[in-house]
Amino acid sequence: MRPTTRTRPIWAFLTGPYAVFLVFLLLVPFANVAMYSIHPYSPTKVFLPELTLDNYRKIFDLYYLRLFGRTLRLGVITTAVCVVLGYPLAYFLARALPRVQALCLFLLIMPLMVSAVIRVFGWIVILGRKGLVNQALVALGLEPVKLLYSETAVVIGLVNVFVPFMVLPIMASIERIPPSLEEAAQNLGANWHQMFRRTILPLSLPGLISGCLLVYSLSISSLSISAFVTPALMGNARERMVGQQIYDEVLVSFNWPSASSLALTLVLLTVGLMFCALFATRHASRQERAR
């Protein structure tokens, strides 16, 4: 009999560098933020050595509850708009010719190469009081509308930034669907809407879920530069979001413990919502299979 040789776990060598990167550049800073959040604020020493939960108790004040509610609501609206605009574009790209697909992907990804600040200033020119939109309305004999410095402007700016993150996962899922399934459904008498509802949508659901989770987490994340710059420059100063509050706590008032508690709460809340969405989707898919 040949002696059995113990195989080396190749997956350990493949995932090892990323595990080290994850530990030292994500988990360790995250633990440091958690440590700051349970200490009281000190104007001279940043924080005191005592332990306290006052930084988390103040989150239940009406001001902070409105802050989190507004942030989560705008994240949901941004995700919904990205789905409405991104799904048809993803379907078109998945079924387009290779040359057309390459050109459209270049045009889709090219704005990501431009700084978020520059894009926001471009939208300020378009949505301003005397911007292109209001000038077009005046030329048509209509009254100008206030778009800039409102939640509508914030949603427009965030959608412009995050649409590619919705389109790419959905397009990847639709590309794996054979076009013959669509032809078979239409040959069996289904119209386009029935074919889409019973064939394309269920099979592309993983990509849709991935895009929604990605766009939602980025749009409400206080660590995202785009999610911070867009509300700060295009939103109303009285209708703040969590990212702006964390920025002021860190760089204006130097209250690092308070900023850490806000950031940690936002991250945990986002992760919890993502797990709930994944659980609900998995449960719905199981019920659909059981039928």
Side-chain angles (χ1 to χ4, degrees):
M1 297 178 61
R2 299 178 59 182
T4 58
T5 58
R6 187 176 180 181
T7 59
R8 296 180 180 180
I10 301 179
W11 61 267
F13 294 98
L14 298 177
T15 60
Y18 178 72
V20 174
F21 174 84
L22 191 66
V23 169
F24 286 99
L25 296 183
L26 180 63
L27 297 183
V28 173
F30 192 77
N32 190 36
V33 170
M35 184 271 294
Y36 274 115
S37 67
I38 58 176
H39 289 283
Y41 166 66
S42 174
T44 57
K45 300 180 180 179
V46 181
F47 68 93
L48 298 176
E50 293 84 4
L51 299 180
T52 181
L53 294 177
D54 291 339
N55 296 319
Y56 290 97
R57 293 192 185 100
K58 74 173 187 178
I59 295 177
F60 294 96
D61 295 341
L62 183 60
Y63 171 76
Y64 291 99
L65 290 178
R66 290 179 177 176
L67 204 67
F68 277 93
R70 185 181 304 113
T71 302
L72 298 178
R73 176 168 52 84
L74 290 181
V76 172
I77 295 175
T78 301
T79 304
V81 176
C82 286
V83 170
V84 173
L85 298 179
Y87 206 110
L89 180 58
Y91 182 83
F92 169 77
L93 292 177
R95 295 294 185 252
L97 297 176
R99 293 182 179 180
V100 177
Q101 185 185 78
L103 177 61
C104 293
L105 284 176
F106 173 76
L107 296 177
L108 179 68
I109 299 175
M110 186 176 61
L112 298 178
M113 305 177 187
V114 182
S115 173
V117 178
I118 297 177
R119 281 181 289 179
V120 168
F121 277 114
W123 280 111
I124 290 177
V125 174
I126 295 174
L127 303 177
R129 184 176 180 83
K130 295 183 179 180
L132 297 178
V133 175
N134 282 326
Q135 288 182 358
L137 293 177
V138 172
L140 295 175
L142 302 176
E143 292 291 331
V145 294
K146 182 181 179 181
L147 295 175
L148 195 59
Y149 306 123
S150 63
E151 292 186 356
T152 303
V154 173
V155 172
I156 292 174
L158 292 177
V159 168
N160 173 250
V161 174
F162 297 131
V163 159
F165 297 97
M166 179 68 70
V167 172
L168 295 178
I170 298 176
M171 186 189 71
S173 295
I174 296 177
E175 282 183 333
R176 290 193 290 266
I177 303 174
S180 59
L181 293 179
E182 303 179 26
E183 298 174 359
Q186 293 177 349
N187 290 334
L188 293 175
N191 55 33
W192 194 91
H193 298 284
Q194 293 175 339
M195 180 271 298
F196 173 79
R197 181 169 56 88
R198 298 185 179 183
T199 305
I200 301 299
L201 183 59
L203 295 178
S204 64
L205 194 59
L208 178 62
I209 296 172
S210 300
C212 290
L213 294 179
L214 187 61
V215 170
Y216 183 76
S217 60
L218 288 175
S219 61
I220 69 174
S221 175
S222 61
L223 303 178
S224 173
I225 296 177
S226 300
F228 167 74
V229 172
T230 303
L233 298 180
M234 299 180 64
N236 193 338
R238 297 180 180 179
E239 298 177 352
R240 301 163 57 85
M241 297 180 66
V242 178
Q244 298 167 267
Q245 185 67 29
I246 294 175
Y247 176 87
D248 290 342
E249 296 281 359
V250 173
L251 297 179
V252 178
S253 61
F254 298 101
N255 191 348
W256 289 13
S258 177
S260 299
S261 63
L262 291 175
L264 189 62
T265 302
L266 183 62
V267 170
L268 295 178
L269 186 60
T270 304
V271 172
L273 291 174
M274 291 173 64
F275 273 107
C276 291
L278 290 174
F279 176 79
T281 304
R282 188 174 182 181
H283 181 70
S285 62
R286 287 181 178 178
Q287 289 184 344
E288 186 69 21
R289 292 176 182 177
R291 294 177 183 177

